[in-house]
Amino acid sequence: MHKHHNTLGLATTRQTATTAADIAKSRPVQPVTLIRPHAAARAARFFVEKFPGRSLYAVKANPSPDLIQVLWDSGITHYDVASIAEVRLVARLLPDATLCFMHPVKAPEAIEEAYFTHGCRTFSLDSLEELDKILLATNHATDLTLCVRLRVSSEHSKLSLASKFGAAPGETKDLLFRARQAADALGICFHVGSQAMTPEAYANALERVRAAIVDAAVTVDVIDVGGGFPSSYPGMEPPPLERYFETIHRAFESLPVSYSSELWAEPGRALCAEYSSLIVRVERRRGDELYINDGAYGALFDAAHIGWRFPVQHLREPDSHAKDMAFSFYGPTCDDMDHMAGPFLLPADTQAGEYIEIGMLGAYGCAMRTTFNGFGSDETVIMQDEPMVSLYIEADEQVASNVVTL
Ligand SMILES: *Cc1c(COP(=O)(O)O)cnc(C)c1O
């Protein structure tokens, strides 16, 4: 057991436990964050081995230094960073990593520091203004990989990224042409939206890419299909990730790009969703509403603000024999907005003082946490057991059963 500081600077006590129920038995007063490095390592190895190109980790999904180290140790060498703080974080943790600054609207000072201090050579852009900004801030560098971000549909995704960034069809020809003149290597990137529920999302976006290349008649060196690879949540169980990889590979192979061009992806959620879960305590029950000690300002931002559902598990020994019923949650702050509609299915006899594990909080969960109103988790425990849900264990079993039937 040793002292450790998390991103909020709070002291945490590290220990290893066997099950979430064991931790509940010690009756923690604050929420407890559980991390499963082996689950993140398995996801990273899956992408490294099976994605038919290079996988960049999108740091914003979870910037925990421990996680970033696990991904590096599992073969992820490239990092998609979006702010100067993320650039500095990865440069400090992993001096040999390759940084790709994939936010299309950057501060000139951030570009300059990333290029001159941290060796970043890859930048994305979606406008002529950003192209000029990058060239000025890098003193007209000639060793840049410039990725032009196209606007694509988010129709197959649970979380849209379609309106904010990306060059529209009428703008791409000129932009690709100008970027080609300035770049050492020219890339095209997009983001289909987070939690894309079908591989078709990528096939459709790659058709947009094809049209843009044909229209601009430029040589393209990198095709970057962005993030959006799904994880599994209640009511949002996606097809196997191999299907996404096959669809992308097929579409990429048929693009009019040079023989030596590279395929990249920027998974965030898919690499870290299974990394964390949270143990919360029920402080009060009011009918079908449970007042728990974490919420919208903690790790449950998405559960509150966009109605995301997460798997839950009641931690009582022996197990409750009551039938499951649908609950909603209130978080601990004084605010009506601190409400998670769910529904979360838990035994009908769940009561105050009992503990619940909320799963799949590794992506956009633990990363969104604040200490608003003085609440939050200050303890982290490293677990060796399996996450409540895993895309990667199932995928392995499918591979095994395919082998048998072939
Ligand atoms: C957020 C983001 C990602 C990661 O998206 P996921 O849906 O978590 O995979 C990748 N690339 C860019 C540019 C992003 O903004």
Side-chain angles (χ1 to χ4, degrees), residues 90-136:
V90 179
R92 175 171 59 78
L93 293 171
L94 306 173
D96 296 327
T98 302
L99 301 176
C100 303
F101 207 149
M102 304 307 279
H103 194 304
V105 184
K106 295 169 284 299
E109 296 84 352
I111 299 168
E112 187 181 337
E113 182 182 328
Y115 182 85
F116 287 104
T117 308
H118 304 294
C120 178
R121 294 294 177 265
T122 301
F123 297 87
S124 79
L125 59 117
D126 66 359
S127 67
L128 289 171
E129 293 94 310
E130 188 73 8
L131 176 60
D132 289 340
K133 195 199 287 174
I134 293 168
L135 295 179
L136 205 63

XYZ file of all heavy atoms in Angstrom, residues 90-136:
371
model
N 1.612 14.090 -22.070
C 2.139 12.906 -22.754
C 3.643 13.053 -22.975
O 4.399 12.089 -22.816
C 1.380 12.632 -24.077
C 1.951 11.408 -24.774
C -0.108 12.448 -23.803
N 4.106 14.271 -23.304
C 5.543 14.477 -23.525
C 6.333 14.174 -22.247
O 7.426 13.616 -22.294
C 5.800 15.906 -23.989
N 5.755 14.541 -21.104
C 6.435 14.307 -19.829
C 6.420 12.820 -19.460
O 7.439 12.259 -19.051
C 5.737 15.123 -18.719
C 6.259 14.901 -17.312
C 5.658 15.902 -16.329
N 4.191 15.852 -16.250
C 3.518 14.929 -15.570
N 4.152 13.964 -14.928
N 2.195 14.968 -15.540
N 5.275 12.166 -19.647
C 5.155 10.752 -19.263
C 5.921 9.844 -20.210
O 6.530 8.864 -19.781
C 3.684 10.320 -19.289
C 2.730 10.932 -18.277
C 1.305 10.533 -18.622
C 3.094 10.456 -16.884
N 5.834 10.149 -21.511
C 6.362 9.245 -22.540
C 7.205 10.054 -23.524
O 6.730 10.442 -24.587
C 5.199 8.588 -23.308
C 4.130 7.845 -22.501
C 2.995 7.418 -23.422
C 4.716 6.628 -21.791
N 8.460 10.323 -23.178
C 9.299 11.162 -24.045
C 9.465 10.603 -25.463
O 9.731 11.362 -26.382
C 10.649 11.197 -23.314
C 10.412 10.633 -21.963
C 9.146 9.861 -21.975
N 9.297 9.309 -25.654
C 9.485 8.728 -26.979
C 8.191 8.587 -27.781
O 8.207 8.090 -28.912
C 10.148 7.346 -26.862
C 11.553 7.444 -26.278
O 12.221 8.469 -26.560
O 11.969 6.538 -25.536
N 7.066 8.992 -27.203
C 5.793 8.863 -27.917
C 5.713 9.882 -29.047
O 6.355 10.930 -29.002
C 4.631 9.067 -26.953
N 4.899 9.564 -30.052
C 4.626 10.507 -31.146
C 3.328 11.240 -30.836
O 2.299 10.617 -30.579
C 4.497 9.744 -32.476
O 5.710 9.023 -32.692
C 4.267 10.705 -33.632
N 3.408 12.584 -30.854
C 2.240 13.402 -30.542
C 1.588 13.889 -31.825
O 2.278 14.346 -32.737
C 2.669 14.622 -29.722
C 3.375 14.330 -28.402
C 3.838 15.634 -27.755
C 2.422 13.591 -27.478
N 0.268 13.804 -31.886
C -0.486 14.303 -33.028
C -1.535 15.268 -32.488
O -2.405 14.859 -31.710
C -1.149 13.150 -33.780
S 0.047 11.905 -34.345
N -1.428 16.514 -32.889
C -2.281 17.582 -32.329
C -3.516 17.691 -33.216
O -3.509 18.373 -34.232
C -1.483 18.888 -32.319
C -1.886 19.880 -31.266
C -0.934 20.738 -30.708
C -3.193 19.978 -30.824
C -1.279 21.665 -29.732
C -3.554 20.895 -29.847
C -2.593 21.744 -29.313
N -4.577 16.975 -32.841
C -5.697 16.766 -33.750
C -6.921 17.641 -33.464
O -8.027 17.311 -33.866
C -6.087 15.288 -33.747
C -4.937 14.343 -34.109
S -4.098 14.754 -35.660
C -5.240 14.021 -36.832
N -6.733 18.750 -32.781
C -7.830 19.706 -32.590
C -7.766 20.710 -33.735
O -6.741 21.349 -33.936
C -7.661 20.407 -31.234
C -8.878 21.154 -30.792
N -9.456 22.133 -31.564
C -9.622 21.073 -29.662
C -10.518 22.618 -30.920
N -10.641 21.984 -29.765
N -8.857 20.883 -34.503
C -8.768 21.750 -35.687
C -8.760 23.253 -35.379
O -8.596 24.048 -36.301
C -9.987 21.356 -36.518
C -10.845 20.515 -35.664
C -10.134 20.143 -34.421
N -8.943 23.657 -34.145
C -8.900 25.084 -33.784
C -7.974 25.244 -32.580
O -8.373 25.005 -31.435
C -10.308 25.638 -33.441
C -10.222 27.142 -33.173
C -11.287 25.369 -34.589
N -6.713 25.605 -32.856
C -5.708 25.635 -31.783
C -5.243 27.055 -31.501
O -5.305 27.922 -32.370
C -4.476 24.799 -32.223
C -4.783 23.318 -32.383
C -3.650 22.555 -33.062
C -3.563 22.760 -34.547
N -4.723 22.346 -35.337
N -4.713 27.267 -30.313
C -4.069 28.541 -30.005
C -2.709 28.572 -30.696
O -1.997 27.569 -30.679
C -3.892 28.679 -28.495
N -2.309 29.714 -31.285
C -0.994 29.784 -31.939
C 0.135 29.432 -30.970
O 1.088 28.738 -31.346
C -0.880 31.252 -32.382
C -2.232 31.843 -32.266
C -3.066 30.972 -31.393
N 0.009 29.856 -29.713
C 1.056 29.562 -28.718
C 1.160 28.060 -28.470
O 2.250 27.532 -28.223
C 0.745 30.275 -27.387
C 0.754 31.793 -27.456
C -0.562 32.403 -27.942
O -1.471 31.645 -28.382
O -0.687 33.635 -27.884
N 0.033 27.365 -28.520
C 0.027 25.906 -28.306
C 0.728 25.199 -29.464
O 1.502 24.261 -29.258
C -1.410 25.401 -28.156
N 0.467 25.661 -30.694
C 1.122 25.062 -31.866
C 2.635 25.259 -31.762
O 3.423 24.320 -31.958
C 0.597 25.707 -33.169
C -0.910 25.479 -33.314
C 1.367 25.170 -34.380
C -1.560 26.311 -34.415
N 3.030 26.483 -31.410
C 4.454 26.817 -31.353
C 5.174 25.956 -30.310
O 6.219 25.363 -30.583
C 4.588 28.310 -31.013
C 6.004 28.813 -31.095
C 6.099 30.301 -30.729
O 5.091 31.024 -30.839
O 7.198 30.714 -30.315
N 4.584 25.866 -29.118
C 5.231 25.066 -28.064
C 5.247 23.577 -28.442
O 6.256 22.878 -28.226
C 4.502 25.257 -26.724
C 5.182 24.478 -25.603
C 4.465 24.599 -24.252
O 3.863 25.656 -23.964
O 4.509 23.609 -23.489
N 4.142 23.094 -29.009
C 4.080 21.668 -29.397
C 5.161 21.364 -30.425
O 5.850 20.335 -30.333
C 2.693 21.335 -29.954
N 5.321 22.254 -31.395
C 6.288 22.008 -32.474
C 7.730 22.155 -31.987
O 8.552 21.255 -32.155
C 6.028 22.975 -33.645
C 6.966 22.740 -34.803
C 6.687 21.771 -35.765
C 8.161 23.461 -34.919
C 7.568 21.525 -36.806
C 9.048 23.218 -35.963
C 8.737 22.245 -36.901
O 9.608 21.987 -37.928
N 8.025 23.312 -31.344
C 9.435 23.604 -31.041
C 9.924 22.934 -29.751
O 11.088 22.570 -29.654
C 9.656 25.122 -30.960
C 9.608 25.785 -32.316
C 8.490 26.519 -32.703
C 10.658 25.646 -33.209
C 8.431 27.112 -33.953
C 10.607 26.238 -34.468
C 9.493 26.971 -34.841
N 9.043 22.770 -28.765
C 9.492 22.211 -27.480
C 9.252 20.705 -27.386
O 10.033 19.991 -26.766
C 8.754 22.912 -26.309
O 8.903 24.322 -26.477
C 9.312 22.487 -24.961
N 8.145 20.223 -27.982
C 7.765 18.822 -27.754
C 7.856 17.955 -29.010
O 7.434 16.796 -28.989
C 6.363 18.762 -27.160
C 6.216 19.568 -25.903
N 6.873 19.254 -24.731
C 5.534 20.717 -25.657
C 6.581 20.147 -23.802
N 5.776 21.058 -24.338
N 8.365 18.502 -30.097
C 8.622 17.682 -31.285
C 7.384 17.227 -32.028
O 7.440 16.267 -32.807
N 6.244 17.881 -31.795
C 5.018 17.489 -32.499
C 5.086 17.950 -33.952
O 5.401 19.109 -34.231
C 3.815 18.102 -31.784
S 2.251 17.736 -32.574
N 4.801 17.043 -34.899
C 4.885 17.371 -36.323
C 3.541 17.196 -37.044
O 3.414 17.545 -38.207
C 5.936 16.467 -37.006
C 7.375 16.716 -36.524
C 7.838 18.102 -36.932
N 9.161 18.444 -36.458
C 9.406 19.140 -35.320
N 8.422 19.543 -34.544
N 10.639 19.445 -34.976
N 2.577 16.583 -36.357
C 1.289 16.308 -37.005
C 0.203 17.203 -36.414
O 0.020 17.249 -35.189
C 0.919 14.824 -36.813
O 1.958 14.015 -37.382
C -0.407 14.487 -37.473
N -0.500 17.911 -37.296
C -1.539 18.841 -36.869
C -2.764 18.672 -37.769
O -2.619 18.445 -38.972
C -1.042 20.297 -36.992
C 0.140 20.620 -36.105
C 1.438 20.387 -36.553
C -0.046 21.128 -34.833
C 2.543 20.668 -35.738
C 1.049 21.408 -34.011
C 2.338 21.187 -34.463
N -3.950 18.804 -37.201
C -5.146 18.783 -38.043
C -5.659 20.204 -38.223
O -5.315 21.121 -37.467
C -6.228 17.872 -37.458
O -6.923 18.517 -36.420
N -6.480 20.387 -39.252
C -7.037 21.710 -39.567
C -8.297 21.513 -40.390
O -8.475 20.465 -41.026
C -6.017 22.533 -40.366
C -5.572 21.912 -41.690
C -5.971 22.786 -42.859
C -4.076 21.705 -41.672
N -9.201 22.505 -40.327
C -10.382 22.414 -41.183
C -10.695 23.752 -41.854
O -11.809 23.954 -42.338
C -11.595 21.869 -40.409
C -12.078 22.796 -39.308
O -11.458 23.872 -39.111
O -13.072 22.462 -38.643
N -9.698 24.663 -41.881
C -9.923 25.957 -42.528
C -8.592 26.510 -43.027
O -7.520 26.122 -42.543
C -10.542 26.947 -41.531
O -9.590 27.240 -40.506
N -8.674 27.447 -43.982
C -7.463 28.110 -44.477
C -6.831 28.953 -43.378
O -5.605 29.068 -43.298
C -7.806 28.982 -45.695
C -8.144 28.204 -46.975
C -8.688 29.148 -48.048
C -6.920 27.458 -47.502
N -7.665 29.531 -42.503
C -7.123 30.332 -41.392
C -6.236 29.470 -40.504
O -5.163 29.896 -40.086
C -8.260 30.912 -40.518
C -9.116 31.948 -41.193
C -10.360 31.332 -41.821
O -10.223 30.328 -42.573
O -11.454 31.844 -41.572
N -6.681 28.241 -40.209
C -5.889 27.365 -39.343
C -4.598 26.945 -40.047
O -3.549 26.844 -39.408
C -6.713 26.136 -38.936
C -6.057 25.256 -37.884
C -6.053 25.845 -36.472
O -6.698 26.901 -36.248
O -5.402 25.263 -35.582
N -4.679 26.731 -41.345
C -3.469 26.383 -42.107
C -2.441 27.510 -41.990
O -1.265 27.278 -41.677
C -3.833 26.127 -43.576
C -2.663 25.839 -44.520
C -1.885 24.602 -44.076
C -3.162 25.655 -45.959
N -2.883 28.748 -42.209
C -1.970 29.890 -42.100
C -1.417 30.000 -40.682
O -0.242 30.289 -40.482
C -2.696 31.192 -42.470
C -2.999 31.259 -43.967
O -2.337 30.516 -44.732
O -3.897 32.016 -44.361
N -2.273 29.760 -39.702
C -1.859 29.838 -38.286
C -0.757 28.816 -37.998
O 0.255 29.134 -37.363
C -3.083 29.569 -37.403
C -2.907 29.955 -35.951
C -3.949 29.243 -35.083
C -5.347 29.790 -35.236
N -6.342 28.972 -34.483
N -0.930 27.587 -38.489
C 0.060 26.525 -38.248
C 1.386 26.895 -38.921
O 2.460 26.759 -38.322
C -0.460 25.158 -38.773
C -1.661 24.687 -37.960
C 0.655 24.103 -38.731
C -2.419 23.508 -38.581
N 1.311 27.403 -40.134
C 2.548 27.735 -40.868
C 3.291 28.874 -40.176
O 4.515 28.843 -40.021
C 2.220 28.076 -42.318
C 1.659 26.890 -43.115
C 1.320 27.291 -44.538
C 2.630 25.707 -43.094
N 2.538 29.864 -39.717
C 3.155 30.996 -39.030
C 3.786 30.553 -37.711
O 4.937 30.885 -37.408
C 2.070 32.054 -38.773
C 2.519 33.497 -38.624
C 3.162 33.978 -39.926
C 1.294 34.376 -38.299
